[in-house]
Coordinates of all heavy atoms in Angstrom, one line a residue:
M6 N 52.1 -14.5 45.2 CA 50.8 -15.0 45.3 C 50.9 -16.5 45.4 O 51.7 -17.1 44.7 CB 50.0 -14.6 44.1 CG 48.5 -15.1 44.2 SD 47.6 -14.6 42.7 CE 47.1 -13.0 43.2
A7 N 50.1 -17.2 46.2 CA 50.2 -18.6 46.4 C 49.6 -19.3 45.2 O 48.8 -18.8 44.5 CB 49.3 -19.0 47.6
P8 N 50.1 -20.5 44.8 CA 49.7 -21.2 43.6 C 48.2 -21.5 43.6 O 47.5 -21.3 42.5 CB 50.4 -22.6 43.7 CG 51.6 -22.3 44.6 CD 51.2 -21.3 45.5
H9 N 47.5 -21.8 44.7 CA 46.1 -22.0 44.7 C 45.3 -20.7 44.4 O 44.3 -20.7 43.8 CB 45.6 -22.7 46.0 CG 45.8 -21.8 47.2 ND1 47.0 -21.7 47.9 CD2 44.9 -21.1 47.9 CE1 46.8 -20.9 48.9 NE2 45.6 -20.5 48.9
A10 N 45.9 -19.6 44.9 CA 45.3 -18.3 44.6 C 45.4 -18.0 43.1 O 44.4 -17.4 42.5 CB 45.9 -17.2 45.5
Q11 N 46.5 -18.3 42.5 CA 46.7 -18.1 41.1 C 45.7 -18.9 40.3 O 45.1 -18.4 39.3 CB 48.1 -18.4 40.6 CG 49.1 -17.4 41.1 CD 50.5 -17.8 40.6 OE1 50.8 -19.0 40.3 NE2 51.4 -16.8 40.6
R12 N 45.5 -20.2 40.7 CA 44.5 -21.0 40.0 C 43.1 -20.4 40.1 O 42.4 -20.4 39.1 CB 44.6 -22.4 40.5 CG 45.8 -23.2 40.0 CD 45.6 -24.7 40.2 NE 45.5 -25.0 41.7 CZ 46.5 -25.3 42.5 NH1 47.7 -25.3 42.0 NH2 46.4 -25.5 43.7
R13 N 42.8 -20.0 41.3 CA 41.4 -19.4 41.5 C 41.3 -18.2 40.6 O 40.2 -17.9 40.0 CB 41.2 -19.1 42.9 CG 40.4 -20.2 43.6 CD 40.0 -19.7 45.0 NE 41.0 -20.1 45.9 CZ 41.5 -19.4 46.9 NH1 41.0 -18.2 47.2 NH2 42.4 -19.9 47.7
G14 N 42.3 -17.4 40.5 CA 42.3 -16.2 39.8 C 42.1 -16.5 38.3 O 41.3 -15.8 37.6
R15 N 42.8 -17.5 37.8 CA 42.7 -17.9 36.4 C 41.3 -18.4 36.1 O 40.7 -18.1 35.1 CB 43.8 -18.9 36.0 CG 45.1 -18.3 35.8 CD 46.1 -19.3 35.2 NE 47.4 -19.0 35.8 CZ 48.2 -19.9 36.3 NH1 47.8 -21.2 36.3 NH2 49.3 -19.6 36.9
R16 N 40.8 -19.3 37.0 CA 39.5 -19.8 36.8 C 38.5 -18.8 36.8 O 37.5 -18.8 36.0 CB 39.2 -20.8 38.0 CG 39.7 -22.2 37.6 CD 39.1 -23.2 38.6 NE 40.3 -23.6 39.4 CZ 40.3 -23.9 40.7 NH1 39.2 -23.9 41.3 NH2 41.4 -24.3 41.3
G17 N 38.6 -17.8 37.6 CA 37.7 -16.6 37.6 C 37.7 -15.9 36.3 O 36.6 -15.6 35.8
I18 N 38.9 -15.7 35.8 CA 39.0 -15.0 34.5 C 38.3 -15.9 33.4 O 37.6 -15.4 32.5 CB 40.5 -14.7 34.1 CG1 41.0 -13.6 35.1 CG2 40.6 -14.3 32.7 CD1 42.5 -13.4 35.0
I19 N 38.6 -17.2 33.4 CA 38.1 -18.1 32.4 C 36.6 -18.1 32.5 O 35.9 -18.1 31.5 CB 38.7 -19.5 32.5 CG1 40.2 -19.5 32.1 CG2 38.0 -20.5 31.7 CD1 41.0 -20.7 32.4
H20 N 36.0 -18.2 33.7 CA 34.6 -18.2 33.9 C 34.0 -16.9 33.4 O 32.9 -17.0 32.7 CB 34.2 -18.5 35.3 CG 34.5 -19.9 35.8 ND1 33.6 -20.9 35.5 CD2 35.5 -20.4 36.5 CE1 34.1 -22.0 36.0 NE2 35.2 -21.7 36.7
R21 N 34.6 -15.8 33.6 CA 34.1 -14.5 33.1 C 34.1 -14.5 31.6 O 33.2 -14.0 31.0 CB 34.8 -13.4 33.8 CG 34.5 -13.1 35.2 CD 35.0 -11.8 35.7 NE 36.4 -11.7 35.7 CZ 37.3 -12.0 36.7 NH1 36.8 -12.5 37.8 NH2 38.6 -11.9 36.5
L22 N 35.2 -15.0 31.0 CA 35.3 -15.0 29.5 C 34.2 -15.9 28.9 O 33.6 -15.6 27.9 CB 36.7 -15.4 29.1 CG 37.8 -14.4 29.3 CD1 39.1 -15.0 28.9 CD2 37.6 -13.2 28.4
L23 N 34.0 -17.1 29.5 CA 33.0 -18.0 29.0 C 31.6 -17.4 29.2 O 30.8 -17.5 28.3 CB 33.1 -19.3 29.8 CG 34.3 -20.2 29.4 CD1 34.3 -21.4 30.3 CD2 34.3 -20.6 28.0
A24 N 31.3 -16.8 30.3 CA 30.0 -16.1 30.5 C 29.8 -15.0 29.5 O 28.7 -14.9 28.9 CB 29.9 -15.6 31.9
A25 N 30.9 -14.2 29.2 CA 30.7 -13.1 28.2 C 30.5 -13.7 26.8 O 29.7 -13.1 26.1 CB 32.0 -12.2 28.3
T26 N 31.2 -14.7 26.5 CA 31.1 -15.4 25.2 C 29.7 -15.9 25.0 O 29.1 -15.8 24.0 CB 32.2 -16.5 25.0 OG1 33.4 -15.9 25.2 CG2 32.0 -17.1 23.6
A27 N 29.2 -16.6 26.0 CA 27.8 -17.2 26.0 C 26.8 -16.1 25.8 O 25.9 -16.2 25.0 CB 27.6 -18.1 27.2
T28 N 27.0 -15.0 26.6 CA 26.0 -13.9 26.5 C 26.0 -13.3 25.1 O 25.0 -13.0 24.5 CB 26.4 -12.8 27.6 OG1 26.3 -13.5 28.8 CG2 25.4 -11.7 27.5
S29 N 27.2 -13.1 24.5 CA 27.3 -12.6 23.2 C 26.7 -13.5 22.2 O 26.0 -13.0 21.2 CB 28.8 -12.3 22.8 OG 29.4 -11.4 23.7
A30 N 26.9 -14.8 22.3 CA 26.4 -15.7 21.4 C 24.8 -15.7 21.4 O 24.2 -15.8 20.4 CB 26.9 -17.1 21.6
L31 N 24.3 -15.7 22.6 CA 22.8 -15.6 22.8 C 22.3 -14.3 22.2 O 21.2 -14.3 21.5 CB 22.4 -15.7 24.2 CG 22.6 -17.1 24.8 CD1 22.3 -17.1 26.3 CD2 21.7 -18.1 24.1
A32 N 22.9 -13.2 22.4 CA 22.5 -11.9 21.8 C 22.5 -12.0 20.3 O 21.6 -11.6 19.6 CB 23.3 -10.8 22.4
L33 N 23.6 -12.5 19.7 CA 23.7 -12.7 18.3 C 22.6 -13.6 17.8 O 22.0 -13.3 16.7 CB 25.1 -13.2 17.9 CG 25.3 -13.4 16.4 CD1 25.1 -12.0 15.7 CD2 26.7 -13.9 16.1
A34 N 22.3 -14.7 18.4 CA 21.3 -15.6 18.0 C 19.9 -14.9 18.0 O 19.1 -15.1 17.1 CB 21.3 -16.9 18.9
G35 N 19.7 -14.1 19.0 CA 18.4 -13.3 19.1 C 18.3 -12.4 18.0 O 17.2 -12.3 17.4
V36 N 19.3 -11.7 17.6 CA 19.3 -10.8 16.4 C 19.0 -11.6 15.1 O 18.2 -11.2 14.3 CB 20.6 -10.0 16.3 CG1 20.7 -9.3 15.0 CG2 20.7 -9.0 17.5
L37 N 19.7 -12.7 15.0 CA 19.5 -13.5 13.7 C 18.1 -14.0 13.6 O 17.5 -14.0 12.6 CB 20.5 -14.7 13.7 CG 22.0 -14.2 13.5 CD1 22.9 -15.5 13.6 CD2 22.2 -13.5 12.2
V38 N 17.6 -14.5 14.7 CA 16.2 -15.1 14.7 C 15.2 -13.9 14.5 O 14.3 -14.1 13.7 CB 15.9 -15.9 16.0 CG1 14.5 -16.2 16.1 CG2 16.8 -17.1 16.1
A39 N 15.4 -12.9 15.2 CA 14.4 -11.7 15.1 C 14.5 -11.1 13.7 O 13.5 -10.6 13.2 CB 14.7 -10.7 16.2
G40 N 15.6 -11.1 13.1 CA 15.8 -10.5 11.8 C 15.3 -11.4 10.6 O 15.3 -10.9 9.5
S41 N 15.0 -12.6 10.9 CA 14.6 -13.5 9.8 C 13.2 -14.0 9.9 O 12.9 -15.1 9.9 CB 15.6 -14.7 9.7 OG 15.5 -15.4 10.9
A42 N 12.3 -13.0 9.9 CA 10.8 -13.4 9.9 C 10.4 -14.0 8.6 O 10.9 -13.6 7.5 CB 10.0 -12.1 10.2
P43 N 9.6 -15.0 8.6 CA 9.2 -15.7 7.4 C 8.3 -14.7 6.6 O 7.6 -13.9 7.1 CB 8.4 -16.9 7.8 CG 8.0 -16.6 9.2 CD 9.0 -15.6 9.8
A44 N 8.4 -14.9 5.3 CA 7.5 -14.1 4.4 C 6.1 -14.6 4.5 O 5.8 -15.7 4.7 CB 8.0 -14.2 2.9
A45 N 5.1 -13.6 4.5 CA 3.7 -14.0 4.7 C 3.0 -13.5 3.4 O 2.5 -12.4 3.3 CB 3.2 -13.3 5.9
A46 N 3.0 -14.4 2.4 CA 2.3 -14.1 1.2 C 1.3 -15.2 0.9 O 1.5 -16.3 1.2 CB 3.3 -14.0 0.0
T47 N 0.2 -14.8 0.2 CA -0.8 -15.8 -0.2 C -1.0 -15.6 -1.7 O -0.8 -14.6 -2.3 CB -2.1 -15.5 0.6 OG1 -2.6 -14.2 0.2 CG2 -1.9 -15.6 2.1
F48 N -1.5 -16.7 -2.2 CA -1.9 -16.7 -3.7 C -2.8 -15.6 -4.0 O -2.7 -14.9 -5.0 CB -2.4 -18.0 -4.1 CG -2.7 -18.2 -5.6 CD1 -1.6 -18.6 -6.4 CD2 -3.9 -17.9 -6.1 CE1 -1.8 -18.7 -7.8 CE2 -4.1 -18.0 -7.5 CZ -3.1 -18.4 -8.3
A49 N -3.8 -15.4 -3.1 CA -4.9 -14.4 -3.3 C -4.3 -13.0 -3.4 O -4.7 -12.2 -4.2 CB -5.9 -14.5 -2.3
T50 N -3.3 -12.6 -2.5 CA -2.8 -11.3 -2.5 C -1.7 -11.1 -3.6 O -1.6 -10.1 -4.2 CB -2.2 -10.9 -1.2 OG1 -1.2 -11.9 -0.8 CG2 -3.3 -10.9 -0.1
Q51 N -0.8 -12.1 -3.8 CA 0.3 -12.0 -4.7 C -0.1 -12.2 -6.2 O 0.6 -11.7 -7.0 CB 1.4 -13.0 -4.3 CG 2.0 -12.7 -2.9 CD 2.7 -11.4 -2.8 OE1 3.5 -11.1 -3.7 NE2 2.5 -10.7 -1.8
C52 N -1.1 -13.0 -6.4 CA -1.4 -13.4 -7.8 C -2.8 -12.9 -8.3 O -3.2 -13.4 -9.4 CB -1.3 -14.9 -7.9 SG 0.3 -15.5 -7.5
S53 N -3.4 -12.1 -7.6 CA -4.8 -11.7 -7.9 C -4.8 -10.8 -9.2 O -5.9 -10.7 -9.9 CB -5.5 -11.0 -6.8 OG -4.8 -9.8 -6.4
A54 N -3.8 -10.0 -9.5 CA -3.8 -9.1 -10.6 C -2.5 -9.4 -11.4 O -1.6 -8.6 -11.4 CB -3.9 -7.7 -10.2
P55 N -2.4 -10.5 -12.2 CA -1.2 -10.8 -12.9 C -0.9 -9.8 -14.0 O -1.8 -9.2 -14.6 CB -1.4 -12.2 -13.5 CG -2.9 -12.3 -13.5 CD -3.4 -11.5 -12.4
T56 N 0.3 -9.6 -14.3 CA 0.8 -8.7 -15.4 C 0.5 -9.5 -16.8 O 0.1 -8.9 -17.8 CB 2.3 -8.4 -15.3 OG1 2.5 -8.0 -14.0 CG2 2.7 -7.4 -16.3
R57 N 0.7 -10.8 -16.7 CA 0.5 -11.7 -17.9 C -0.1 -13.0 -17.5 O 0.2 -13.5 -16.4 CB 1.9 -12.0 -18.6 CG 2.2 -11.2 -19.7 CD 3.5 -11.7 -20.5 NE 4.6 -12.0 -19.6 CZ 5.4 -13.0 -19.8 NH1 5.2 -13.9 -20.8 NH2 6.4 -13.3 -19.0
T58 N -0.9 -13.6 -18.3 CA -1.4 -14.9 -18.1 C -1.0 -15.8 -19.3 O -1.2 -15.4 -20.4 CB -3.0 -14.9 -18.0 OG1 -3.3 -14.0 -16.9 CG2 -3.5 -16.3 -17.7
L59 N -0.4 -16.9 -19.0 CA 0.1 -17.8 -20.0 C -0.9 -19.0 -20.1 O -1.3 -19.6 -19.1 CB 1.5 -18.3 -19.7 CG 2.6 -17.3 -19.7 CD1 3.9 -17.9 -19.3 CD2 2.7 -16.6 -21.0
A60 N -1.2 -19.4 -21.3 CA -1.9 -20.6 -21.6 C -1.0 -21.8 -21.6 O 0.2 -21.7 -21.7 CB -2.6 -20.5 -23.0
P61 N -1.5 -23.0 -21.3 CA -0.7 -24.2 -21.2 C 0.1 -24.4 -22.5 O -0.4 -24.1 -23.6 CB -1.7 -25.3 -21.0 CG -2.9 -24.7 -20.5 CD -2.9 -23.3 -21.1
G62 N 1.3 -25.0 -22.4 CA 2.1 -25.3 -23.6 C 3.5 -25.6 -23.2 O 3.9 -25.5 -22.1
P63 N 4.3 -26.1 -24.2 CA 5.7 -26.5 -24.0 C 6.7 -25.3 -24.0 O 7.9 -25.6 -23.9 CB 5.9 -27.5 -25.1 CG 5.1 -27.0 -26.2 CD 3.8 -26.4 -25.5
D64 N 6.2 -24.1 -24.3 CA 7.1 -23.0 -24.4 C 7.8 -22.7 -23.1 O 7.3 -22.9 -22.0 CB 6.3 -21.7 -24.9 CG 5.7 -21.9 -26.2 OD1 6.2 -22.7 -27.0 OD2 4.7 -21.3 -26.4
S65 N 9.0 -22.1 -23.2 CA 9.7 -21.7 -22.0 C 9.1 -20.4 -21.5 O 8.4 -19.7 -22.1 CB 11.2 -21.4 -22.4 OG 11.3 -20.3 -23.3
I66 N 9.3 -20.2 -20.2 CA 8.7 -19.1 -19.5 C 9.8 -18.1 -19.0 O 10.8 -18.5 -18.5 CB 8.0 -19.6 -18.2 CG1 6.9 -20.6 -18.6 CG2 7.4 -18.5 -17.4 CD1 6.3 -21.4 -17.5
S67 N 9.6 -16.8 -19.3 CA 10.5 -15.8 -18.8 C 9.7 -14.8 -18.0 O 8.6 -14.3 -18.5 CB 11.2 -15.0 -19.9 OG 12.1 -15.9 -20.5
V68 N 10.1 -14.5 -16.8 CA 9.4 -13.5 -15.9 C 10.4 -12.3 -15.7 O 11.6 -12.6 -15.4 CB 9.0 -14.1 -14.6 CG1 8.3 -13.1 -13.7 CG2 8.2 -15.3 -14.8
A69 N 9.9 -11.1 -15.9 CA 10.8 -9.9 -15.7 C 10.7 -9.4 -14.3 O 9.7 -9.8 -13.6 CB 10.3 -8.8 -16.7
D70 N 11.7 -8.7 -13.9 CA 11.7 -8.1 -12.5 C 10.4 -7.2 -12.4 O 10.1 -6.4 -13.3 CB 12.9 -7.2 -12.4 CG 13.1 -6.7 -11.0 OD1 12.5 -7.2 -10.0 OD2 13.8 -5.6 -10.8
G71 N 9.6 -7.4 -11.3 CA 8.4 -6.6 -11.1 C 7.2 -7.2 -11.8 O 6.1 -6.7 -11.6
E72 N 7.3 -8.2 -12.5 CA 6.2 -8.8 -13.3 C 5.6 -10.0 -12.5 O 6.3 -10.7 -11.8 CB 6.8 -9.3 -14.6 CG 5.7 -9.9 -15.6 CD 6.2 -10.3 -16.9 OE1 7.4 -10.8 -17.0 OE2 5.6 -10.0 -17.9
T73 N 4.3 -10.2 -12.7 CA 3.6 -11.3 -12.1 C 3.0 -12.1 -13.3 O 2.2 -11.6 -14.0 CB 2.5 -10.9 -11.1 OG1 3.1 -10.1 -10.1 CG2 1.8 -12.1 -10.6
V74 N 3.4 -13.3 -13.4 CA 2.9 -14.2 -14.5 C 2.1 -15.3 -13.9 O 2.6 -16.0 -13.0 CB 4.1 -14.7 -15.3 CG1 3.6 -15.7 -16.4 CG2 4.9 -13.6 -16.0
L75 N 0.9 -15.5 -14.4 CA 0.0 -16.5 -14.0 C -0.1 -17.6 -15.0 O -0.3 -17.4 -16.2 CB -1.4 -15.9 -13.7 CG -2.5 -17.0 -13.3 CD1 -2.2 -17.6 -12.0 CD2 -3.8 -16.3 -13.3
L76 N 0.2 -18.8 -14.6 CA 0.0 -20.0 -15.4 C -1.4 -20.5 -15.2 O -1.7 -21.0 -14.2 CB 1.1 -21.1 -15.1 CG 2.5 -20.6 -15.1 CD1 3.4 -21.8 -14.7 CD2 2.9 -20.1 -16.4
S77 N -2.2 -20.4 -16.3 CA -3.6 -20.8 -16.2 C -3.7 -22.3 -16.4 O -2.7 -23.0 -16.8 CB -4.5 -20.1 -17.2 OG -4.0 -20.4 -18.5
G78 N -4.8 -23.0 -16.0 CA -5.0 -24.4 -16.0 C -4.3 -25.1 -17.2 O -4.4 -24.8 -18.3
G79 N -3.6 -26.2 -16.8 CA -3.0 -27.1 -17.8 C -1.5 -27.4 -17.4 O -1.1 -27.1 -16.3
A80 N -0.8 -28.0 -18.4 CA 0.5 -28.4 -18.1 C 1.5 -27.5 -18.7 O 1.4 -27.0 -19.8 CB 0.8 -29.8 -18.7
F81 N 2.6 -27.2 -18.0 CA 3.7 -26.4 -18.4 C 5.0 -27.1 -18.3 O 5.7 -27.0 -17.3 CB 3.7 -25.1 -17.6 CG 2.5 -24.2 -17.8 CD1 1.4 -24.4 -17.1 CD2 2.5 -23.2 -18.8 CE1 0.3 -23.6 -17.3 CE2 1.4 -22.4 -19.0 CZ 0.3 -22.6 -18.2
P82 N 5.4 -27.9 -19.3 CA 6.6 -28.7 -19.2 C 7.9 -28.0 -19.7 O 9.0 -28.5 -19.6 CB 6.3 -29.9 -20.1 CG 5.4 -29.4 -21.1 CD 4.6 -28.3 -20.4
G83 N 7.7 -26.8 -20.3 CA 8.9 -26.1 -20.8 C 9.7 -25.5 -19.7 O 9.4 -25.6 -18.5
G84 N 10.9 -25.0 -20.0 CA 11.8 -24.5 -19.0 C 11.5 -23.1 -18.6 O 10.6 -22.5 -19.1
I85 N 12.2 -22.7 -17.5 CA 12.1 -21.3 -17.0 C 13.4 -20.6 -17.4 O 14.4 -21.0 -16.8 CB 11.8 -21.3 -15.5 CG1 10.5 -22.0 -15.2 CG2 11.7 -19.9 -15.0 CD1 10.2 -22.2 -13.8
D86 N 13.3 -19.6 -18.3 CA 14.5 -18.9 -18.7 C 14.9 -17.8 -17.8 O 16.1 -17.6 -17.6 CB 14.3 -18.3 -20.1 CG 14.2 -19.4 -21.2 OD1 15.0 -20.4 -21.1 OD2 13.5 -19.2 -22.2
A87 N 14.0 -17.2 -17.1 CA 14.3 -16.1 -16.2 C 13.2 -16.0 -15.1 O 12.0 -16.0 -15.4 CB 14.4 -14.8 -16.9
L88 N 13.7 -15.9 -13.9 CA 12.8 -15.7 -12.7 C 13.6 -14.9 -11.7 O 14.1 -15.4 -10.7 CB 12.3 -17.0 -12.1 CG 11.3 -16.9 -11.0 CD1 10.0 -16.1 -11.4 CD2 10.9 -18.3 -10.6
P89 N 13.7 -13.5 -11.9 CA 14.5 -12.7 -11.0 C 13.8 -12.6 -9.6 O 12.6 -12.9 -9.5 CB 14.6 -11.4 -11.7 CG 13.4 -11.3 -12.6 CD 13.1 -12.8 -13.0
Q90 N 14.6 -12.1 -8.7 CA 14.1 -11.9 -7.3 C 12.8 -11.1 -7.3 O 11.9 -11.4 -6.5 CB 15.1 -11.2 -6.4 CG 14.7 -11.1 -5.0 CD 15.8 -10.5 -4.1 OE1 16.9 -10.4 -4.6 NE2 15.5 -10.2 -2.9
G91 N 12.6 -10.1 -8.0 CA 11.4 -9.2 -8.0 C 10.3 -9.8 -8.8 O 9.2 -9.1 -8.9
G92 N 10.4 -10.9 -9.5 CA 9.4 -11.4 -10.3 C 8.6 -12.5 -9.6 O 9.1 -13.1 -8.7
R93 N 7.3 -12.7 -10.0 CA 6.5 -13.7 -9.4 C 6.0 -14.7 -10.5 O 5.5 -14.2 -11.5 CB 5.3 -13.1 -8.7 CG 5.6 -12.3 -7.5 CD 4.3 -11.9 -6.8 NE 4.7 -10.9 -5.8 CZ 4.4 -9.6 -5.8 NH1 3.7 -9.1 -6.9 NH2 4.7 -8.8 -4.9
L94 N 6.0 -15.9 -10.2 CA 5.4 -16.9 -11.1 C 4.4 -17.7 -10.3 O 4.7 -18.4 -9.4 CB 6.5 -17.9 -11.6 CG 6.1 -19.0 -12.6 CD1 5.5 -18.4 -13.9 CD2 7.3 -19.9 -12.9
C95 N 3.1 -17.5 -10.7 CA 2.0 -18.0 -10.0 C 1.4 -19.2 -10.8 O 1.2 -19.1 -12.0 CB 0.9 -17.0 -9.8 SG 1.4 -15.5 -9.0
V96 N 1.1 -20.3 -10.1 CA 0.6 -21.5 -10.7 C -0.9 -21.6 -10.2 O -1.1 -21.9 -9.1 CB 1.4 -22.7 -10.4 CG1 0.8 -24.0 -11.1 CG2 2.9 -22.5 -10.8
A97 N -1.8 -21.5 -11.1 CA -3.2 -21.5 -10.8 C -3.6 -23.0 -10.4 O -3.0 -23.9 -10.9 CB -4.1 -21.0 -11.9
A98 N -4.7 -23.1 -9.7 CA -5.3 -24.4 -9.4 C -5.6 -25.1 -10.7 O -6.1 -24.6 -11.7 CB -6.6 -24.3 -8.6
G99 N -5.2 -26.4 -10.7 CA -5.5 -27.2 -12.0 C -4.3 -27.1 -12.9 O -4.3 -27.8 -14.0
S100 N -3.3 -26.3 -12.6 CA -2.1 -26.2 -13.5 C -1.0 -27.1 -12.9 O -0.9 -27.3 -11.7 CB -1.6 -24.8 -13.5 OG -2.5 -24.0 -14.1
T101 N -0.1 -27.5 -13.8 CA 1.1 -28.3 -13.4 C 2.3 -27.7 -14.0 O 2.4 -27.5 -15.2 CB 0.9 -29.8 -13.9 OG1 -0.3 -30.3 -13.5 CG2 2.1 -30.6 -13.4
L102 N 3.2 -27.3 -13.1 CA 4.5 -26.8 -13.5 C 5.6 -27.8 -13.3 O 5.9 -28.2 -12.2 CB 4.8 -25.5 -12.8 CG 6.2 -24.8 -13.0 CD1 6.3 -24.4 -14.5 CD2 6.4 -23.7 -12.1
S103 N 6.1 -28.3 -14.4 CA 7.2 -29.3 -14.3 C 8.3 -28.9 -15.3 O 8.5 -29.6 -16.3 CB 6.7 -30.7 -14.6 OG 6.0 -30.8 -15.8
P104 N 9.1 -27.9 -15.0 CA 10.0 -27.3 -16.0 C 11.2 -28.3 -16.2 O 11.6 -29.0 -15.3 CB 10.5 -26.1 -15.3 CG 10.3 -26.3 -13.8 CD 9.1 -27.1 -13.7
A105 N 11.6 -28.4 -17.4 CA 12.8 -29.2 -17.8 C 14.1 -28.6 -17.3 O 15.0 -29.3 -17.1 CB 12.8 -29.4 -19.3
Y106 N 14.1 -27.3 -17.1 CA 15.3 -26.6 -16.6 C 14.8 -25.3 -16.0 O 13.7 -24.8 -16.2 CB 16.3 -26.3 -17.7 CG 15.8 -25.5 -18.8 CD1 15.9 -24.1 -18.7 CD2 15.1 -26.0 -19.9 CE1 15.4 -23.3 -19.7 CE2 14.6 -25.2 -20.9 CZ 14.8 -23.8 -20.8 OH 14.3 -23.0 -21.8
M107 N 15.8 -24.6 -15.2 CA 15.5 -23.3 -14.7 C 16.8 -22.5 -14.7 O 17.8 -22.9 -14.0 CB 14.9 -23.4 -13.3 CG 14.6 -22.0 -12.7 SD 13.8 -22.1 -11.2 CE 13.7 -20.4 -10.7
N108 N 16.8 -21.4 -15.4 CA 17.9 -20.5 -15.5 C 17.5 -19.3 -14.6 O 16.4 -19.0 -14.4 CB 18.3 -20.0 -16.9 CG 18.7 -21.2 -17.8 OD1 19.4 -22.1 -17.3 ND2 18.3 -21.1 -19.0
N109 N 18.5 -18.5 -14.2 CA 18.2 -17.3 -13.5 C 19.1 -16.2 -13.9 O 20.3 -16.3 -13.9 CB 18.2 -17.5 -12.0 CG 17.5 -16.4 -11.2 OD1 16.8 -15.6 -11.8 ND2 17.7 -16.3 -10.0

């Protein structure tokens, strides 16, 4: 095979590999974007029926898995001892949450 034919053959292979790689990358990006839809939650739906309501104070806050805790009007400067993935901590209008620390 002539040298110029070999170069064309290699270039063709390289172009096909690059095209396949680009196509795979785009397909993967589509899966990642499609699979990561933002959560659509509102205060009204997530916090309308709290499991517990806490009055303002310096005490630390612990939320259990599956529990919804509502912080009613006032300041909450204490720490957060527990806030697992399945727990919700809701801050009502007029409340201020400024924890000194947060453990999980």
Side-chain angles (χ1 to χ4, degrees):
M6 183 180 277
H9 65 280
Q11 285 180 339
R12 281 194 299 269
R13 260 190 271 139
R15 281 189 219 132
R16 272 191 250 144
I18 291 171
I19 291 171
H20 287 283
R21 284 192 298 272
L22 286 173
L23 288 174
T26 302
T28 302
S29 297
L31 288 174
L33 179 60
V36 168
L37 293 175
V38 170
S41 60
T47 63
F48 185 85
T50 58
Q51 298 293 316
C52 301
S53 62
T56 310
R57 261 189 312 141
T58 300
L59 296 178
D64 297 332
S65 63
I66 300 167
S67 288
V68 180
D70 185 22
E72 183 177 39
T73 300
V74 176
L75 175 64
L76 304 180
S77 62
F81 294 87
I85 299 174
D86 287 327
L88 185 56
Q90 182 176 351
R93 292 187 191 108
L94 182 59
C95 303
V96 181
S100 296
T101 304
L102 176 62
S103 52
Y106 62 90
M107 181 174 176
N108 297 324
N109 197 13

